[in-house]
Amino acid sequence: QKEVEQDPGPLSVPEGAIVSLNCTYSNSAFQYFMWYRQYSRKGPELLMYTYSSGNKEDGRFTAQVDKSSKYISLFIRDSQPSDSATYLCAMTRPPETSGSRLTFGEGTQLTVNP
Amino acid sequence: ETGVTQTPRHLVMGMTNKKSLKCEQHLGHNAMYWYKQSAKKPLELMFVYNFKEQTENNSVPSRFSPECPNSSHLFLHLHTLQPEDSALYLCASSQAGWMGGANVLTFGAGSRLTVL
């Protein structure tokens, strides 16, 4: 069983839609949860990260963590064609147990159509 | 130059060739990483260097040989590769010795490797 499950999509939405991207995980020791965005022919770039459970908002993006369900989400409001990319979730255990190891999901390919 | 720079961006090699991938970071970080990204698979961590010392080798075959001469430069030497090694190889850097916070990686654009 994979430690992190992410639906690879592809997901196609019209401009202006609310997008919901999700990951589930099996290891309850994960404490830091991140979302990376990867444009075509580019490396992943950090979009947001959250610690433990709760919500974090940054502009049109909201990251949500539910540790009791082992479920994380990224919401994109008023989606734009420039949001078209692959979104990767990533998570890590406390540094004393995992060193520098991030565990990534497979990535969800998103296309926002004008 | 800013961020993490990888060269070459594209590489085609035969199974008997020897080639190298280069990564340079201008962020003042002291941890560097090699990841392999294949289609329909999660990013796979290959190697980690902290302060020029290798701290993780994720059971990578010996045909991949990393080198980290200083905290700003990282190489991946390639020899006798297999077609299944074709992938995007990503270099990343971060601030080593992170405690109590997220280990935020900054990635390069990657080197697309094709093994014939």
Side-chain angles (χ1 to χ4, degrees), chain A residues 2 8 32 34 36 38 41-46 49 88 92-96 98-102 104-106, chain B residues 9 33 35 37 40-43 45 48 50 55-56 58 88 90 98-105 107-109:
Chain A
K2 293 180 190 174
Y32 288 94
M34 303 168 198
Y36 281 82
Q38 185 174 18
R41 299 185 183 86
K42 301 279 190 179
E45 58 176 342
L46 181 70
Y49 78 86
L88 304 153
T92 185
R93 286 156 281 190
E96 60 272 16
S98 70
S100 44
R101 183 177 292 267
L102 284 177
F104 283 87
E106 196 174 321
Chain B
R9 292 293 310 276
Y33 310 75
Y35 279 87
Q37 187 173 36
K40 308 295 184 188
K41 287 187 175 181
L43 283 173
L45 179 64
V48 182
N50 283 279
T55 53
E56 286 197 52
N58 194 22
L88 182 67
L90 290 162
W98 62 290
M99 291 294 290
N103 185 23
V104 175
L105 301 182
F107 285 90

Side-chain angles (χ1 to χ4, degrees), chain B residues 4-99:
Chain B
V4 179
T5 304
Q6 289 189 244
T7 54
R9 292 293 310 276
H10 300 273
L11 179 62
V12 179
M13 59 187 289
M15 288 173 19
T16 57
N17 290 158
K18 284 186 183 180
K19 297 283 184 185
S20 296
L21 307 181
K22 179 183 175 182
C23 176
E24 184 174 0
Q25 58 95 2
H26 305 269
L27 299 167
H29 290 163
N30 37 39
M32 297 190 78
Y33 310 75
W34 281 115
Y35 279 87
K36 178 182 179 182
Q37 187 173 36
S38 305
K40 308 295 184 188
K41 287 187 175 181
L43 283 173
E44 297 174 54
L45 179 64
M46 300 175 71
F47 302 102
V48 182
Y49 280 81
N50 283 279
F51 298 97
K52 303 188 302 176
E53 299 299 319
Q54 188 182 117
T55 53
E56 286 197 52
N57 176 338
N58 194 22
S59 303
V60 180
S62 60
R63 58 186 184 268
F64 294 92
S65 174
E67 180 190 359
C68 188
N70 54 60
S71 293
S72 298
H73 293 85
L74 185 65
F75 295 89
L76 188 63
H77 303 300
L78 315 169
H79 176 50
T80 323
L81 294 192
Q82 305 298 311
E84 59 265 29
D85 296 322
S86 298
L88 182 67
Y89 288 85
L90 290 162
C91 174
S93 69
S94 72
Q95 201 59 36
W98 62 290
M99 291 294 290

